[in-house]
Amino acid sequence: MSTTPSGLHRRTVTVSGHRTSVALEPVFWEMLRDAAHARGVPVNAIVAQIDVERLDADEPTGLASAIRQWLVGQQRDGDAS
């Protein structure tokens, strides 16, 4: 995992059979790994799910933004229960 000057960590993930690079803050990578572990699936599977959801949205965002938004939504849903 490489670090960009802004403190983002860049990692390569595979989505729909294609490798792509995503830059996220370390806390988001940790949350993504935790979400994948809790579901018993690889990080790539979570990212692929997020990618499908973002592409189905009326106004799709970038993948990194979609990941952040999904993770915040998961955190809110968990706090509500």
Side-chain angles (χ1 to χ4, degrees):
M1 188 180 326
S2 65
T3 303
T4 65
S6 63
L8 298 174
H9 287 220
R10 185 168 298 280
R11 182 173 173 189
T12 301
V13 295
T14 302
V15 179
S16 300
H18 301 284
R19 292 171 51 102
T20 188
S21 180
V22 179
L24 295 170
E25 295 80 3
V27 68
F28 287 111
W29 282 118
E30 182 179 331
M31 291 172 69
L32 194 57
R33 281 190 301 270
D34 290 347
H37 179 74
R39 289 165 177 76
V41 299
V43 168
N44 285 342
I46 298 280
V47 173
Q49 173 191 338
I50 294 167
D51 190 49
V52 167
E53 291 174 10
R54 91 177 167 97
L55 293 174
D56 285 343
D58 291 335
E59 295 182 32
T61 64
L63 182 55
S65 293
I67 291 169
R68 289 183 189 96
Q69 291 170 15
W70 185 86
L71 289 167
V72 168
Q74 294 298 303
Q75 187 71 34
R76 283 187 183 160
D77 290 348
D79 289 346
S81 51

